Amino acid sequence: MQTAQTIIKNYRRKRIIVCASLSLLTLLTTLGCSFISQRNLNQQTTATFVNHAVETLEKILLPIQAGRAIVEPLLGRPCLEVNFLLRKQAASLQSVRSIGLIQKGILYCSSTFGRRDIPIRQFLPQLPSAEPLLLLTTDQALLTGSPVLIQWYPAPGKSDDGIIQIVNIDLIARMLLEPLLPIISDVRLSVGGKHLSYFSQLSDTLEFDNHDRIFQQTSKKFPFTITVSGPGSSALALEYLPKQLPLAVIFSMLVGYIAWLATASRMSFTWEINMGLAAGEFELFCQPLVNAQTQRCVGVEILLRWNNPRQGWISPEIFIPLAEEHNLIVPLTRFVLIETVRHLAMFPTARDFHIGINVAASHFRDGVLLQDLNRVWFSAKPTQQLMVELTERDSLLEVDYLIVDELHRKGVKLAIDDFGTGTNSLSWLEKLNPEVLKIDKSFTAAIGTDAVNSTVTDIIIALGQRLNIELVAEGVETKDQASHLRRHGVNILQGFLYAEPMPLRHFPKWLAENTPPPASHHQPIMQFIP
């Protein structure tokens, strides 16, 4: 059997492992959630940035597109006649640098320079075109080399005639294409194979750092694309993670502490006892009591044994004190009482055959023991005599003696178990008025070997005889001990000399043969309440 220290150590180890695992899991989960949250935030920030850039440029180009209806009727009319109207229209569209009218491929009128006579292909090889175009190029007239965005709208049914509106994209790029560090390190506007950066640099290729992540969004209203690059949402989230580590550690330690408190009952012996009761892991044993003169079995003491599938066989010396400490002794005693009544058929149906059940003093509180006996024992109306064996481990309260009187009235025998080992023996004799004194096995073992304890044994025997109290000797293992006790008037003996504790199912066979069955368990069986 395992010792209490071993079992408690195992539970403490399991408890530490559980709490440490929960704490580590919490730490990893917190960091994981922080990583995912930060990554999603980075992705959302990038998407919002690009979407804002696209929507802003669309809002700039839509009024220009709508202004086409105003300029288109001017196409083909003399420049002197329409120049003022062109300048007025360009002024109303603040983002437009210039508006030009093209006829037969010739730019003949400009809102900026007035009358012109320049083939449009000379500076814009893509024009004229039968389809509307959006072009990204450099200014060749007003601000030479600066980037401009050109909208071309052909006249209905005429591919050589049309309108060009030059957008001052340089200023717009400063507003839309500014990187958002550290999430976005570069932003490009792509139109017709040309790419404009924040620094007003126009290139024919879209190149980024090899380690950068690319995110693009194309306008659904105009043929342009906004492209952004950066270290990537995941990489930035990993860089941000160390900042979250202190908070995650504190939170994981808090969870570990809460788990430590929460497992105080579940990861404990208290939980094991409750689980053992629920799972039917406890089993009743009994040890016969024999008449010293006739050698006839006159009763049994009910014992409790626990075969814990998680810990193995657990001695009552371990689980009984722990059960008393955690207020579980009453449920255990109630279990013993119920199981005893359920197996009454295994015992002789004689009125002088008594069945002893160990009861702790705490069971007397508030009349709980009397209620249990009324509900379980007396309701079954057994023939056998019930003997309540009370240990000297705990003291009874004054109010509990009323319960004792009621037990006497109901015909229940009261025995003081392990008499002589406690501190209240004499006062108990006066207040309890017991019918039986059970001499502790330590005094029985001293017979013939220990002069002091042997003398104490004789004194206890003399005291019981003087008070006319029936005596039962526990732990009788030798014939010399039995002979000594018999000579000194101890009439009932209990011990390995007559029978070892046995499962209830073996008792009828032992009783019939008057010999103990082969031992099925090699561990010593302790009393229900040692």
Side-chain angles (χ1 to χ4, degrees), residues 275-325:
M275 187 173 181
L277 283 171
E281 297 170 2
F282 290 94
E283 182 181 359
L284 294 193
F285 277 58
C286 68
Q287 188 171 26
L289 280 70
V290 177
N291 187 288
Q293 304 298 331
T294 65
Q295 302 295 302
R296 184 176 63 89
C297 178
V298 295
V300 293
E301 178 182 0
I302 301 298
L303 307 171
L304 189 63
R305 189 171 183 180
W306 186 10
N307 183 10
N308 186 316
R310 296 164 296 283
Q311 301 288 343
W313 292 99
I314 300 178
S315 169
E317 291 183 346
I318 297 174
F319 72 80
I320 293 301
L322 289 174
E324 291 178 332
E325 181 182 348

Tab-separated table of all heavy atoms in Angstrom, residues 275-325:
chain	number	residue	atom	x	y	z
A	275	MET	N	-15.079	10.423	-5.602
A	275	MET	CA	-15.132	9.636	-6.827
A	275	MET	C	-15.187	8.148	-6.507
A	275	MET	O	-15.885	7.369	-7.167
A	275	MET	CB	-13.920	9.941	-7.696
A	275	MET	CG	-13.963	9.298	-9.060
A	275	MET	SD	-12.614	9.860	-10.121
A	275	MET	CE	-12.982	8.938	-11.617
A	276	GLY	N	-14.438	7.753	-5.465
A	276	GLY	CA	-14.455	6.351	-5.066
A	276	GLY	C	-15.827	5.902	-4.606
A	276	GLY	O	-16.271	4.790	-4.920
A	277	LEU	N	-16.527	6.766	-3.865
A	277	LEU	CA	-17.886	6.441	-3.436
A	277	LEU	C	-18.827	6.319	-4.623
A	277	LEU	O	-19.647	5.406	-4.712
A	277	LEU	CB	-18.394	7.516	-2.465
A	277	LEU	CG	-17.853	7.449	-1.028
A	277	LEU	CD1	-18.258	8.684	-0.259
A	277	LEU	CD2	-18.347	6.186	-0.327
A	278	ALA	N	-18.691	7.278	-5.559
A	278	ALA	CA	-19.577	7.275	-6.726
A	278	ALA	C	-19.313	6.079	-7.633
A	278	ALA	O	-20.242	5.533	-8.236
A	278	ALA	CB	-19.405	8.588	-7.508
A	279	ALA	N	-18.052	5.665	-7.722
A	279	ALA	CA	-17.683	4.581	-8.641
A	279	ALA	C	-17.731	3.200	-7.982
A	279	ALA	O	-17.418	2.200	-8.635
A	279	ALA	CB	-16.281	4.837	-9.199
A	280	GLY	N	-18.098	3.142	-6.716
A	280	GLY	CA	-18.179	1.856	-6.044
A	280	GLY	C	-16.836	1.189	-5.815
A	280	GLY	O	-16.717	-0.032	-5.911
A	281	GLU	N	-15.819	1.985	-5.519
A	281	GLU	CA	-14.479	1.437	-5.323
A	281	GLU	C	-14.263	0.912	-3.900
A	281	GLU	O	-13.291	0.195	-3.652
A	281	GLU	CB	-13.440	2.516	-5.643
A	281	GLU	CG	-13.477	2.981	-7.088
A	281	GLU	CD	-12.622	4.210	-7.332
A	281	GLU	OE1	-11.966	4.686	-6.384
A	281	GLU	OE2	-12.624	4.702	-8.468
A	282	PHE	N	-15.134	1.300	-2.983
A	282	PHE	CA	-15.007	0.829	-1.600
A	282	PHE	C	-15.707	-0.527	-1.448
A	282	PHE	O	-16.725	-0.786	-2.083
A	282	PHE	CB	-15.612	1.844	-0.635
A	282	PHE	CG	-14.818	3.110	-0.529
A	282	PHE	CD1	-15.131	4.216	-1.312
A	282	PHE	CD2	-13.747	3.207	0.346
A	282	PHE	CE1	-14.402	5.385	-1.220
A	282	PHE	CE2	-13.006	4.376	0.439
A	282	PHE	CZ	-13.329	5.464	-0.343
A	283	GLU	N	-15.148	-1.354	-0.594
A	283	GLU	CA	-15.698	-2.682	-0.358
A	283	GLU	C	-15.720	-2.958	1.134
A	283	GLU	O	-14.795	-2.577	1.865
A	283	GLU	CB	-14.851	-3.735	-1.073
A	283	GLU	CG	-15.390	-5.145	-0.928
A	283	GLU	CD	-14.517	-6.165	-1.625
A	283	GLU	OE1	-13.506	-5.762	-2.239
A	283	GLU	OE2	-14.835	-7.369	-1.553
A	284	LEU	N	-16.805	-3.602	1.590
A	284	LEU	CA	-16.913	-3.954	3.000
A	284	LEU	C	-16.197	-5.275	3.288
A	284	LEU	O	-16.348	-6.246	2.559
A	284	LEU	CB	-18.379	-4.079	3.421
A	284	LEU	CG	-19.232	-2.809	3.405
A	284	LEU	CD1	-20.535	-3.049	4.148
A	284	LEU	CD2	-18.493	-1.626	3.990
A	285	PHE	N	-15.422	-5.255	4.369
A	285	PHE	CA	-14.816	-6.456	4.929
A	285	PHE	C	-15.373	-6.628	6.345
A	285	PHE	O	-15.957	-5.700	6.914
A	285	PHE	CB	-13.296	-6.304	4.987
A	285	PHE	CG	-12.592	-6.612	3.693
A	285	PHE	CD1	-12.892	-5.912	2.530
A	285	PHE	CD2	-11.623	-7.596	3.630
A	285	PHE	CE1	-12.247	-6.178	1.344
A	285	PHE	CE2	-10.964	-7.875	2.444
A	285	PHE	CZ	-11.277	-7.178	1.297
A	286	CYS	N	-15.194	-7.787	6.891
A	286	CYS	CA	-15.606	-8.002	8.272
A	286	CYS	C	-14.577	-8.878	8.969
A	286	CYS	O	-13.876	-9.682	8.332
A	286	CYS	CB	-16.991	-8.630	8.352
A	286	CYS	SG	-17.068	-10.334	7.730
A	287	GLN	N	-14.471	-8.694	10.293
A	287	GLN	CA	-13.608	-9.551	11.093
A	287	GLN	C	-14.448	-10.145	12.228
A	287	GLN	O	-15.070	-9.408	12.994
A	287	GLN	CB	-12.425	-8.782	11.665
A	287	GLN	CG	-11.413	-9.693	12.342
A	287	GLN	CD	-10.136	-8.961	12.715
A	287	GLN	OE1	-10.135	-7.760	12.920
A	287	GLN	NE2	-9.034	-9.710	12.818
A	288	PRO	N	-14.481	-11.463	12.328
A	288	PRO	CA	-15.335	-12.111	13.332
A	288	PRO	C	-14.876	-11.819	14.762
A	288	PRO	O	-13.687	-11.604	15.030
A	288	PRO	CB	-15.203	-13.599	13.007
A	288	PRO	CG	-14.719	-13.639	11.592
A	288	PRO	CD	-13.853	-12.440	11.428
A	289	LEU	N	-15.835	-11.830	15.677
A	289	LEU	CA	-15.593	-11.770	17.108
A	289	LEU	C	-16.016	-13.126	17.699
A	289	LEU	O	-17.126	-13.601	17.424
A	289	LEU	CB	-16.389	-10.643	17.766
A	289	LEU	CG	-15.792	-9.225	17.642
A	289	LEU	CD1	-15.877	-8.725	16.203
A	289	LEU	CD2	-16.517	-8.268	18.581
A	290	VAL	N	-15.132	-13.722	18.488
A	290	VAL	CA	-15.320	-15.101	18.945
A	290	VAL	C	-15.467	-15.126	20.461
A	290	VAL	O	-14.745	-14.413	21.189
A	290	VAL	CB	-14.132	-15.976	18.508
A	290	VAL	CG1	-14.278	-17.397	19.048
A	290	VAL	CG2	-14.026	-15.986	16.983
A	291	ASN	N	-16.405	-15.943	20.954
A	291	ASN	CA	-16.557	-16.168	22.392
A	291	ASN	C	-15.354	-16.948	22.903
A	291	ASN	O	-15.010	-18.012	22.379
A	291	ASN	CB	-17.851	-16.934	22.675
A	291	ASN	CG	-18.139	-17.045	24.145
A	291	ASN	OD1	-17.466	-17.787	24.872
A	291	ASN	ND2	-19.158	-16.324	24.589
A	292	ALA	N	-14.697	-16.394	23.922
A	292	ALA	CA	-13.464	-17.003	24.420
A	292	ALA	C	-13.698	-18.388	25.004
A	292	ALA	O	-12.770	-19.220	25.011
A	292	ALA	CB	-12.829	-16.086	25.472
A	293	GLN	N	-14.881	-18.662	25.477
A	293	GLN	CA	-15.143	-19.949	26.119
A	293	GLN	C	-15.623	-20.987	25.110
A	293	GLN	O	-15.110	-22.110	25.077
A	293	GLN	CB	-16.204	-19.766	27.226
A	293	GLN	CG	-15.844	-18.726	28.269
A	293	GLN	CD	-14.588	-19.078	29.038
A	293	GLN	OE1	-14.269	-20.272	29.215
A	293	GLN	NE2	-13.862	-18.065	29.511
A	294	THR	N	-16.582	-20.584	24.270
A	294	THR	CA	-17.209	-21.560	23.367
A	294	THR	C	-16.589	-21.585	21.987
A	294	THR	O	-16.891	-22.463	21.189
A	294	THR	CB	-18.703	-21.246	23.235
A	294	THR	OG1	-18.855	-19.975	22.592
A	294	THR	CG2	-19.389	-21.205	24.597
A	295	GLN	N	-15.750	-20.584	21.709
A	295	GLN	CA	-15.144	-20.451	20.379
A	295	GLN	C	-16.198	-20.232	19.292
A	295	GLN	O	-15.927	-20.441	18.107
A	295	GLN	CB	-14.311	-21.693	20.026
A	295	GLN	CG	-13.201	-21.975	21.023
A	295	GLN	CD	-12.144	-20.868	21.036
A	295	GLN	OE1	-11.525	-20.567	20.020
A	295	GLN	NE2	-11.966	-20.245	22.203
A	296	ARG	N	-17.355	-19.803	19.661
A	296	ARG	CA	-18.430	-19.536	18.698
A	296	ARG	C	-18.385	-18.067	18.272
A	296	ARG	O	-18.129	-17.188	19.090
A	296	ARG	CB	-19.781	-19.852	19.328
A	296	ARG	CG	-20.977	-19.698	18.381
A	296	ARG	CD	-22.268	-20.134	19.059
A	296	ARG	NE	-22.579	-19.296	20.213
A	296	ARG	CZ	-23.304	-18.168	20.127
A	296	ARG	NH1	-23.759	-17.762	18.956
A	296	ARG	NH2	-23.554	-17.463	21.219
A	297	CYS	N	-18.659	-17.849	16.990
A	297	CYS	CA	-18.679	-16.472	16.473
A	297	CYS	C	-19.942	-15.785	16.984
A	297	CYS	O	-21.056	-16.238	16.718
A	297	CYS	CB	-18.652	-16.470	14.949
A	297	CYS	SG	-18.732	-14.815	14.237
A	298	VAL	N	-19.741	-14.669	17.703
A	298	VAL	CA	-20.885	-13.961	18.280
A	298	VAL	C	-21.138	-12.609	17.614
A	298	VAL	O	-22.080	-11.909	17.999
A	298	VAL	CB	-20.664	-13.757	19.792
A	298	VAL	CG1	-20.628	-15.094	20.522
A	298	VAL	CG2	-19.386	-12.953	20.044
A	299	GLY	N	-20.304	-12.263	16.647
A	299	GLY	CA	-20.503	-10.988	15.965
A	299	GLY	C	-19.370	-10.697	15.000
A	299	GLY	O	-18.420	-11.486	14.863
A	300	VAL	N	-19.501	-9.568	14.341
A	300	VAL	CA	-18.464	-9.126	13.404
A	300	VAL	C	-18.264	-7.627	13.571
A	300	VAL	O	-19.164	-6.899	14.002
A	300	VAL	CB	-18.841	-9.435	11.932
A	300	VAL	CG1	-18.864	-10.912	11.658
A	300	VAL	CG2	-20.159	-8.777	11.569
A	301	GLU	N	-17.083	-7.206	13.225
A	301	GLU	CA	-16.816	-5.770	13.099
A	301	GLU	C	-16.696	-5.461	11.608
A	301	GLU	O	-15.935	-6.117	10.886
A	301	GLU	CB	-15.537	-5.368	13.816
A	301	GLU	CG	-15.230	-3.883	13.658
A	301	GLU	CD	-13.929	-3.454	14.315
A	301	GLU	OE1	-13.249	-4.332	14.913
A	301	GLU	OE2	-13.578	-2.277	14.226
A	302	ILE	N	-17.469	-4.498	11.160
A	302	ILE	CA	-17.448	-4.122	9.742
A	302	ILE	C	-16.270	-3.194	9.496
A	302	ILE	O	-16.072	-2.199	10.197
A	302	ILE	CB	-18.771	-3.433	9.343
A	302	ILE	CG1	-19.963	-4.368	9.612
A	302	ILE	CG2	-18.722	-3.025	7.873
A	302	ILE	CD1	-19.934	-5.657	8.827
A	303	LEU	N	-15.484	-3.542	8.500
A	303	LEU	CA	-14.309	-2.763	8.107
A	303	LEU	C	-14.489	-2.256	6.679
A	303	LEU	O	-15.296	-2.797	5.920
A	303	LEU	CB	-13.052	-3.618	8.203
A	303	LEU	CG	-12.815	-4.322	9.554
A	303	LEU	CD1	-11.658	-5.297	9.425
A	303	LEU	CD2	-12.554	-3.310	10.655
A	304	LEU	N	-13.735	-1.272	6.329
A	304	LEU	CA	-13.835	-0.686	4.992
A	304	LEU	C	-12.474	-0.730	4.327
A	304	LEU	O	-11.448	-0.382	4.935
A	304	LEU	CB	-14.313	0.770	5.071
A	304	LEU	CG	-14.677	1.449	3.739
A	304	LEU	CD1	-15.854	0.741	3.078
A	304	LEU	CD2	-15.000	2.927	3.950
A	305	ARG	N	-12.475	-1.172	3.069
A	305	ARG	CA	-11.238	-1.236	2.297
A	305	ARG	C	-11.450	-0.548	0.954
A	305	ARG	O	-12.556	-0.597	0.408
A	305	ARG	CB	-10.813	-2.680	2.097
A	305	ARG	CG	-9.419	-2.813	1.496
A	305	ARG	CD	-8.954	-4.229	1.526
A	305	ARG	NE	-7.593	-4.362	1.020
A	305	ARG	CZ	-6.941	-5.498	0.934
A	305	ARG	NH1	-7.531	-6.615	1.323
A	305	ARG	NH2	-5.715	-5.543	0.467
A	306	TRP	N	-10.374	0.055	0.452
A	306	TRP	CA	-10.482	0.865	-0.770
A	306	TRP	C	-9.453	0.399	-1.794
A	306	TRP	O	-8.256	0.534	-1.603
A	306	TRP	CB	-10.260	2.337	-0.424
A	306	TRP	CG	-10.477	3.284	-1.568
A	306	TRP	CD1	-11.005	3.019	-2.785
A	306	TRP	CD2	-10.161	4.680	-1.570
A	306	TRP	NE1	-11.066	4.133	-3.564
A	306	TRP	CE2	-10.547	5.188	-2.844
A	306	TRP	CE3	-9.609	5.549	-0.645
A	306	TRP	CZ2	-10.382	6.516	-3.189
A	306	TRP	CZ3	-9.448	6.877	-0.982
A	306	TRP	CH2	-9.832	7.350	-2.248
A	307	ASN	N	-9.952	-0.133	-2.889
A	307	ASN	CA	-9.101	-0.492	-4.019
A	307	ASN	C	-9.240	0.607	-5.063
A	307	ASN	O	-10.127	0.595	-5.912
A	307	ASN	CB	-9.512	-1.836	-4.599
A	307	ASN	CG	-8.591	-2.269	-5.729
A	307	ASN	OD1	-7.540	-1.667	-5.954
A	307	ASN	ND2	-8.985	-3.296	-6.453
A	308	ASN	N	-8.338	1.571	-4.993
A	308	ASN	CA	-8.370	2.729	-5.887
A	308	ASN	C	-7.681	2.368	-7.197
A	308	ASN	O	-6.474	2.087	-7.204
A	308	ASN	CB	-7.667	3.916	-5.212
A	308	ASN	CG	-7.786	5.197	-6.018
A	308	ASN	OD1	-7.618	5.195	-7.227
A	308	ASN	ND2	-8.065	6.294	-5.335
A	309	PRO	N	-8.409	2.355	-8.328
A	309	PRO	CA	-7.770	1.964	-9.600
A	309	PRO	C	-6.700	2.937	-10.065
A	309	PRO	O	-5.895	2.607	-10.922
A	309	PRO	CB	-8.956	1.923	-10.580
A	309	PRO	CG	-9.974	2.830	-9.988
A	309	PRO	CD	-9.820	2.713	-8.500
A	310	ARG	N	-6.692	4.144	-9.502
A	310	ARG	CA	-5.696	5.143	-9.903
A	310	ARG	C	-4.458	5.110	-9.011
A	310	ARG	O	-3.381	5.510	-9.437
A	310	ARG	CB	-6.319	6.550	-9.861
A	310	ARG	CG	-7.453	6.720	-10.860
A	310	ARG	CD	-8.303	7.944	-10.560
A	310	ARG	NE	-9.002	7.847	-9.278
A	310	ARG	CZ	-10.096	7.117	-9.068
A	310	ARG	NH1	-10.615	6.436	-10.075
A	310	ARG	NH2	-10.675	7.074	-7.891
A	311	GLN	N	-4.642	4.642	-7.746
A	311	GLN	CA	-3.533	4.660	-6.804
A	311	GLN	C	-3.188	3.273	-6.259
A	311	GLN	O	-2.150	3.104	-5.632
A	311	GLN	CB	-3.882	5.584	-5.616
A	311	GLN	CG	-4.178	7.021	-6.000
A	311	GLN	CD	-2.939	7.767	-6.420
A	311	GLN	OE1	-1.821	7.349	-6.150
A	311	GLN	NE2	-3.120	8.891	-7.108
A	312	GLY	N	-4.064	2.307	-6.466
A	312	GLY	CA	-3.861	0.987	-5.877
A	312	GLY	C	-4.574	0.897	-4.535
A	312	GLY	O	-5.428	1.708	-4.192
A	313	TRP	N	-4.207	-0.136	-3.780
A	313	TRP	CA	-4.826	-0.316	-2.467
A	313	TRP	C	-4.374	0.784	-1.527
A	313	TRP	O	-3.185	1.036	-1.369
A	313	TRP	CB	-4.445	-1.681	-1.886
A	313	TRP	CG	-5.038	-2.833	-2.652
A	313	TRP	CD1	-4.428	-3.589	-3.595
A	313	TRP	CD2	-6.367	-3.320	-2.534
A	313	TRP	NE1	-5.282	-4.530	-4.097
A	313	TRP	CE2	-6.499	-4.393	-3.451
A	313	TRP	CE3	-7.469	-2.972	-1.755
A	313	TRP	CZ2	-7.664	-5.105	-3.601
A	313	TRP	CZ3	-8.643	-3.691	-1.899
A	313	TRP	CH2	-8.736	-4.737	-2.819
A	314	ILE	N	-5.341	1.444	-0.898
A	314	ILE	CA	-5.051	2.552	0.016
A	314	ILE	C	-5.481	2.157	1.422
A	314	ILE	O	-6.624	1.760	1.651
A	314	ILE	CB	-5.778	3.834	-0.428
A	314	ILE	CG1	-5.313	4.241	-1.834
A	314	ILE	CG2	-5.521	4.977	0.549
A	314	ILE	CD1	-6.006	5.464	-2.376
A	315	SER	N	-4.558	2.285	2.346
A	315	SER	CA	-4.821	1.868	3.723
A	315	SER	C	-5.819	2.803	4.394
A	315	SER	O	-5.793	4.021	4.173
A	315	SER	CB	-3.515	1.876	4.514
A	315	SER	OG	-3.773	1.734	5.896
A	316	PRO	N	-6.699	2.264	5.246
A	316	PRO	CA	-7.585	3.129	6.030
A	316	PRO	C	-6.826	4.106	6.918
A	316	PRO	O	-7.354	5.154	7.262
A	316	PRO	CB	-8.395	2.129	6.869
A	316	PRO	CG	-8.351	0.869	6.092
A	316	PRO	CD	-6.998	0.840	5.442
A	317	GLU	N	-5.605	3.747	7.305
A	317	GLU	CA	-4.805	4.666	8.094
A	317	GLU	C	-4.512	5.953	7.339
A	317	GLU	O	-4.160	6.972	7.935
A	317	GLU	CB	-3.487	4.001	8.505
A	317	GLU	CG	-3.662	2.877	9.515
A	317	GLU	CD	-2.342	2.280	9.947
A	317	GLU	OE1	-1.325	2.554	9.259
A	317	GLU	OE2	-2.317	1.551	10.934
A	318	ILE	N	-4.654	5.909	6.009
A	318	ILE	CA	-4.447	7.096	5.183
A	318	ILE	C	-5.770	7.803	4.906
A	318	ILE	O	-5.922	8.991	5.180
A	318	ILE	CB	-3.762	6.725	3.849
A	318	ILE	CG1	-2.367	6.155	4.118
A	318	ILE	CG2	-3.683	7.920	2.929
A	318	ILE	CD1	-1.674	5.634	2.887
A	319	PHE	N	-6.752	7.050	4.378
A	319	PHE	CA	-7.949	7.756	3.917
A	319	PHE	C	-8.934	8.103	5.022
A	319	PHE	O	-9.704	9.051	4.875
A	319	PHE	CB	-8.635	6.992	2.765
A	319	PHE	CG	-9.339	5.721	3.145
A	319	PHE	CD1	-10.604	5.745	3.699
A	319	PHE	CD2	-8.759	4.485	2.891
A	319	PHE	CE1	-11.275	4.569	4.001
A	319	PHE	CE2	-9.414	3.303	3.200
A	319	PHE	CZ	-10.680	3.359	3.759
A	320	ILE	N	-8.907	7.372	6.158
A	320	ILE	CA	-9.837	7.701	7.238
A	320	ILE	C	-9.498	9.049	7.882
A	320	ILE	O	-10.362	9.922	8.011
A	320	ILE	CB	-9.889	6.578	8.278
A	320	ILE	CG1	-10.513	5.327	7.659
A	320	ILE	CG2	-10.697	7.020	9.495
A	320	ILE	CD1	-11.913	5.537	7.129
A	321	PRO	N	-8.237	9.276	8.307
A	321	PRO	CA	-7.919	10.600	8.871
A	321	PRO	C	-8.166	11.744	7.888
A	321	PRO	O	-8.645	12.807	8.275
A	321	PRO	CB	-6.428	10.490	9.231
A	321	PRO	CG	-6.187	9.026	9.403
A	321	PRO	CD	-7.084	8.359	8.417
A	322	LEU	N	-7.840	11.516	6.598
A	322	LEU	CA	-8.089	12.554	5.604
A	322	LEU	C	-9.577	12.788	5.410
A	322	LEU	O	-10.029	13.923	5.229
A	322	LEU	CB	-7.439	12.168	4.274
A	322	LEU	CG	-5.909	12.227	4.239
A	322	LEU	CD1	-5.386	11.675	2.926
A	322	LEU	CD2	-5.422	13.649	4.438
A	323	ALA	N	-10.363	11.716	5.456
A	323	ALA	CA	-11.819	11.865	5.347
A	323	ALA	C	-12.374	12.640	6.529
A	323	ALA	O	-13.266	13.482	6.378
A	323	ALA	CB	-12.475	10.493	5.249
A	324	GLU	N	-11.860	12.371	7.720
A	324	GLU	CA	-12.302	13.136	8.891
A	324	GLU	C	-11.915	14.598	8.776
A	324	GLU	O	-12.692	15.492	9.107
A	324	GLU	CB	-11.685	12.524	10.161
A	324	GLU	CG	-12.239	11.158	10.514
A	324	GLU	CD	-11.559	10.577	11.746
A	324	GLU	OE1	-10.383	10.922	11.982
A	324	GLU	OE2	-12.201	9.794	12.450
A	325	GLU	N	-10.701	14.848	8.257
A	325	GLU	CA	-10.207	16.220	8.138
A	325	GLU	C	-11.036	17.031	7.150
A	325	GLU	O	-11.240	18.229	7.339
A	325	GLU	CB	-8.737	16.191	7.713
A	325	GLU	CG	-8.098	17.567	7.571
A	325	GLU	CD	-6.655	17.469	7.099
A	325	GLU	OE1	-6.100	16.354	7.111
A	325	GLU	OE2	-6.098	18.512	6.729
